[in-house]
Amino acid sequence: MNVYCTLFDSNYLTRGLAMYQSLYDTGEDFYLYIFAFDEIAEKILKRLALPNVKIVSLKQFESAELLALKEVRTRAEYCWTCTSFSILYILEHFNVLEVTYLDADLFFFNRPSLLLDEFHKTGCDVLITKHRYSPQYCYHEKTSGIYCVQFMTFKKNENGLKVLRWWCDRCAECCTSTPQDDKFGDQKYLDDW
């Protein structure tokens, strides 16, 4: 069984539910942790009682460090900041050997385990994916970076956790929605890997 996590608020609820349903419809054997980023999303998700899902509330998740960052970042910047921390939270609080983060606006047309099977053959500890912009949008790579946060796997081992904690630290330092000093959101850091 593959373990996934995602985060979204009520503004992205329809996208998150479409992502969940597309994953479910592939027949994938999975468990999905959803970080509900506001009370509306949390209430609706709990009422839906989706199979193979655990809801993680902000009360459970947010640390003093994250709450301090929440005060000085835009909503988008805060969500981006929390991506790396949500992955770390799963690895530290639940009995899993690896977790794959999924952007809430992904939609699956086939089992993501096909990608994970390939990843497991490599012996690597972290999986990242390229943006693969269409030629007319390649200029975005300069701002957004080569890699996209959309689908990332981290193993719960020394190297996987080292890379993940490095990313958490960078996102805590800066997670701006305005490109600056070779930084943009949470994903420009992936170019360094």
Short mmCIF file of all heavy atoms in Angstrom, two decimals, residues 5 42 48 50 64 67 78 94 105 108 120 132 148 154 172 190:
data_model
loop_
_atom_site.label_atom_id
_atom_site.label_comp_id
_atom_site.label_asym_id
_atom_site.label_seq_id
_atom_site.Cartn_x
_atom_site.Cartn_y
_atom_site.Cartn_z
N CYS A 5 0.06 12.12 0.90
CA CYS A 5 -0.49 13.23 1.68
C CYS A 5 -0.71 14.41 0.76
O CYS A 5 -0.10 14.52 -0.31
CB CYS A 5 0.40 13.58 2.86
SG CYS A 5 1.97 14.39 2.45
N GLU A 42 -12.27 20.93 6.79
CA GLU A 42 -12.21 19.86 7.78
C GLU A 42 -13.60 19.28 8.05
O GLU A 42 -13.78 18.05 8.05
CB GLU A 42 -11.61 20.39 9.09
CG GLU A 42 -11.44 19.32 10.14
CD GLU A 42 -10.84 19.86 11.43
OE1 GLU A 42 -10.40 21.02 11.48
OE2 GLU A 42 -10.83 19.08 12.40
N LEU A 48 -17.86 13.60 4.86
CA LEU A 48 -17.78 12.69 3.71
C LEU A 48 -17.25 11.31 4.09
O LEU A 48 -17.58 10.33 3.44
CB LEU A 48 -16.91 13.30 2.60
CG LEU A 48 -17.49 14.49 1.86
CD1 LEU A 48 -16.45 15.11 0.93
CD2 LEU A 48 -18.74 14.10 1.08
N LEU A 50 -14.40 9.73 3.67
CA LEU A 50 -13.86 9.07 2.48
C LEU A 50 -13.05 7.83 2.86
O LEU A 50 -12.26 7.87 3.80
CB LEU A 50 -12.96 10.04 1.71
CG LEU A 50 -13.63 11.34 1.24
CD1 LEU A 50 -12.57 12.34 0.78
CD2 LEU A 50 -14.64 11.06 0.14
N ALA A 64 4.50 25.89 16.91
CA ALA A 64 4.74 27.30 17.23
C ALA A 64 5.50 27.98 16.09
O ALA A 64 5.21 29.12 15.72
CB ALA A 64 5.51 27.41 18.54
N LEU A 67 3.02 28.60 13.23
CA LEU A 67 2.07 29.66 13.58
C LEU A 67 2.72 31.04 13.47
O LEU A 67 2.08 32.00 13.03
CB LEU A 67 1.51 29.43 14.98
CG LEU A 67 0.51 28.28 15.08
CD1 LEU A 67 0.20 27.95 16.53
CD2 LEU A 67 -0.76 28.58 14.30
N TYR A 78 2.07 30.61 2.88
CA TYR A 78 1.98 29.73 4.05
C TYR A 78 1.70 28.28 3.63
O TYR A 78 2.32 27.35 4.15
CB TYR A 78 0.91 30.22 5.04
CG TYR A 78 0.85 29.39 6.28
CD1 TYR A 78 1.93 29.34 7.16
CD2 TYR A 78 -0.26 28.61 6.56
CE1 TYR A 78 1.89 28.55 8.30
CE2 TYR A 78 -0.31 27.82 7.70
CZ TYR A 78 0.77 27.80 8.57
OH TYR A 78 0.74 27.01 9.69
N PHE A 94 3.37 9.04 12.12
CA PHE A 94 2.65 7.84 11.71
C PHE A 94 3.65 6.75 11.33
O PHE A 94 4.77 7.04 10.94
CB PHE A 94 1.70 8.14 10.55
CG PHE A 94 0.65 9.16 10.92
CD1 PHE A 94 0.79 10.49 10.56
CD2 PHE A 94 -0.46 8.79 11.66
CE1 PHE A 94 -0.16 11.44 10.91
CE2 PHE A 94 -1.43 9.73 12.02
CZ PHE A 94 -1.27 11.05 11.65
N ASP A 105 -4.40 19.66 -6.87
CA ASP A 105 -4.99 19.83 -8.20
C ASP A 105 -4.45 18.82 -9.23
O ASP A 105 -4.60 19.02 -10.43
CB ASP A 105 -4.84 21.26 -8.70
CG ASP A 105 -3.40 21.75 -8.74
OD1 ASP A 105 -2.48 20.96 -8.41
OD2 ASP A 105 -3.20 22.93 -9.07
N PHE A 108 -5.43 11.86 -11.67
CA PHE A 108 -4.79 10.62 -12.12
C PHE A 108 -5.60 9.93 -13.20
O PHE A 108 -6.81 9.77 -13.09
CB PHE A 108 -4.60 9.66 -10.93
CG PHE A 108 -3.63 10.18 -9.92
CD1 PHE A 108 -4.08 10.81 -8.77
CD2 PHE A 108 -2.26 10.07 -10.13
CE1 PHE A 108 -3.18 11.31 -7.84
CE2 PHE A 108 -1.36 10.56 -9.22
CZ PHE A 108 -1.82 11.18 -8.06
N HIS A 120 11.35 2.93 -6.83
CA HIS A 120 11.90 1.93 -5.90
C HIS A 120 13.04 1.13 -6.54
O HIS A 120 13.96 0.71 -5.83
CB HIS A 120 10.79 1.00 -5.41
CG HIS A 120 9.79 1.72 -4.55
ND1 HIS A 120 8.45 1.50 -4.66
CD2 HIS A 120 9.95 2.65 -3.59
CE1 HIS A 120 7.81 2.27 -3.79
NE2 HIS A 120 8.71 2.98 -3.13
N ARG A 132 8.29 19.95 -16.91
CA ARG A 132 8.01 19.57 -18.29
C ARG A 132 7.02 20.53 -18.96
O ARG A 132 5.97 20.15 -19.46
CB ARG A 132 7.50 18.13 -18.37
CG ARG A 132 8.56 17.16 -17.92
CD ARG A 132 8.30 15.76 -18.42
NE ARG A 132 9.45 14.96 -18.08
CZ ARG A 132 9.40 13.84 -17.40
NH1 ARG A 132 8.26 13.36 -17.02
NH2 ARG A 132 10.49 13.17 -17.13
N CYS A 148 8.96 20.40 -9.99
CA CYS A 148 7.66 20.79 -9.46
C CYS A 148 7.38 20.00 -8.18
O CYS A 148 7.69 18.81 -8.09
CB CYS A 148 6.58 20.52 -10.50
SG CYS A 148 4.97 21.17 -10.04
N PHE A 154 9.40 10.84 -0.23
CA PHE A 154 10.51 10.83 0.71
C PHE A 154 10.48 9.54 1.50
O PHE A 154 9.42 9.18 2.05
CB PHE A 154 10.43 12.01 1.69
CG PHE A 154 10.72 13.33 1.05
CD1 PHE A 154 9.71 14.04 0.41
CD2 PHE A 154 11.99 13.87 1.08
CE1 PHE A 154 9.96 15.26 -0.19
CE2 PHE A 154 12.27 15.09 0.49
CZ PHE A 154 11.25 15.78 -0.14
N ALA A 172 11.13 27.59 5.74
CA ALA A 172 10.91 28.43 6.92
C ALA A 172 11.64 29.77 6.77
O ALA A 172 11.13 30.80 7.17
CB ALA A 172 11.37 27.70 8.19
N LEU A 190 14.30 23.01 -5.07
CA LEU A 190 14.54 21.66 -5.62
C LEU A 190 15.62 21.66 -6.69
O LEU A 190 16.24 20.64 -6.91
CB LEU A 190 13.24 21.08 -6.19
CG LEU A 190 12.01 21.08 -5.28
CD1 LEU A 190 10.85 20.36 -5.95
CD2 LEU A 190 12.30 20.47 -3.93
#
